[in-house]
Amino acid sequence: MTSGDIAVLANPRAGRGRHRDLLPGVVQRLGAAGLPVRLLEAHSSEDAEKACHRAVADGAAALVAVGGDGTVHQALQSAATRPVGFGVVPAGTGNDFAAGTGVPADPLAAASAIADALLAGRHRPIDLARAVGTDGEPRWFGAVLAAGFDAIVNERANRMRWPRGPRRYDLAIVLEMVTVRPRVYALELDGADHGFEGTLVAIGNCPSYGGGLRIVPDADPADGLLDVLIAAPLSRWAMTRLKPACGEAHVTDPLVRTFRAKQVRLHADDIIAYADGERIGPLPMEITCVPGALRLLV
């Protein structure tokens, strides 16, 4: 059995607070591994990442993210390429990384699976994507990077003070639909030029984003490749059609193209990229798949 402790990063606001009473049960299930369980104290995203880095540097046997994709994203920054087990207890509004990597959907079952993996000394190697932007600082992501219309909507929603909750995002979509226009993208896939004019770009390590929208449905987080989806200029009607179709049928739309690549270079003017639902910075950006970068406990 592994030595060290189990460091837990928990977001009490994840899932709009639906799981605020979940943590004691999760801690109990994790404790079945026979290791001390320690809750990390963090009052902001920056605090959370620093706390995770300290826990890994101090020799934690496992780092466990209790929350949604945002919480996972924060914890990934310290676990990527490091010899530490990584666990996910899905308790957010969107749990796309957990779904894409086979983590049990039930939070308590996920916690038990983490404890069982630690007891057995077992982990599953999972790919991660490393994104490097204009500041030269790498950001790791596990699910999907958006750098088209979705990213523009996210950026607007984050600037809005009203309304609160999911209605703010819905309003941002409506407002951006009024002025939606195609962008000219410089796109390079494993050194080959695939520049295009379009509306949508998604780069996926896992199939879905936004709480289950399977934008790159064939993405496999253990194949050493990223799945890239681009869409040619879309009318407002086509945009509204495309999102509900994100079950999988959209990939056959003649306006949509998909690729696989190990390395992606992407640029367009005035685009801020979002990955795992988190703001990671302006284009240009280089995104690389790093095989087996994470030791997933499942």
Side-chain angles (χ1 to χ4, degrees):
M1 187 177 73
T2 309
S3 59
D5 63 6
I6 301 172
V8 177
L9 177 67
N11 180 2
R13 296 180 299 279
R16 304 190 187 103
R18 288 195 309 268
H19 301 290
R20 62 169 56 91
D21 298 325
L22 180 72
L23 199 54
V26 167
V27 169
Q28 183 180 28
R29 297 285 182 105
L30 292 173
L35 299 173
V37 180
R38 173 166 55 107
L39 295 177
L40 301 179
E41 185 174 347
H43 303 289
S44 67
S45 294
E46 185 179 357
D47 284 350
E49 291 192 17
K50 287 179 178 178
C52 289
H53 279 295
R54 285 194 298 269
V56 172
D58 290 345
L63 178 61
V64 177
V66 182
D69 289 313
T71 307
V72 170
H73 182 83
Q74 292 163 359
L76 284 179
Q77 306 313 311
S78 57
T81 72
R82 299 296 300 275
V84 60
F86 188 82
V88 179
V89 175
T93 306
N95 300 301
D96 293 296
F97 178 77
T101 54
V103 171
D106 177 74
L108 294 179
S112 290
I114 293 166
D116 290 346
L118 283 168
L119 279 168
R122 179 184 72 238
H123 72 268
R124 182 191 302 167
I126 294 291
D127 304 341
L128 292 177
R130 183 182 64 226
V132 180
T134 54
D135 62 2
E137 292 295 321
R139 293 293 299 179
W140 296 89
F141 68 92
V144 175
L145 179 143
F149 180 75
D150 289 350
I152 295 168
V153 168
N154 257 322
E155 186 70 1
R156 178 184 274 267
N158 285 342
R159 292 197 305 266
M160 293 165 62
R161 295 285 179 261
W162 180 92
R164 294 189 176 276
R167 288 186 302 165
R168 180 169 57 184
Y169 188 82
D170 293 339
L171 179 59
I173 291 175
V174 172
L175 293 173
E176 286 297 336
M177 277 287 188
V178 174
T179 58
V180 63
R181 62 181 175 84
R183 306 292 178 111
V184 175
Y185 285 89
L187 175 65
E188 190 178 291
L189 304 175
D190 292 336
D193 180 19
H194 291 275
F196 71 103
E197 184 179 25
T199 319
L200 196 66
V201 182
I203 300 168
N205 182 53
C206 288
S208 67
Y209 68 168
L213 291 171
R214 293 175 62 81
I215 188 71
V216 280
D218 294 326
D220 178 352
D223 66 357
L225 296 170
L226 299 169
D227 280 39
V228 181
L229 178 142
I230 63 175
L234 299 172
S235 66
R236 291 171 196 164
W237 167 245
M239 290 286 287
T240 58
R241 257 191 320 113
L242 183 64
K243 265 311 180 56
C246 276
E248 291 190 19
H250 64 287
V251 296
T252 63
D253 190 305
L255 295 176
V256 172
R257 299 173 66 195
T258 59
F259 308 88
R260 283 201 173 101
K262 182 173 177 60
Q263 186 178 71
V264 180
R265 290 191 174 96
L266 182 67
H267 180 54
D269 292 335
D270 304 320
I271 294 286
I272 305 294
Y274 279 71
D276 300 334
E278 299 295 301
R279 189 183 201 269
I280 62 169
L283 300 183
M285 198 162 283
E286 181 176 289
I287 303 103
T288 306
C289 182
V290 181
L294 191 70
R295 299 182 175 191
L296 186 67
L297 300 167
V298 68

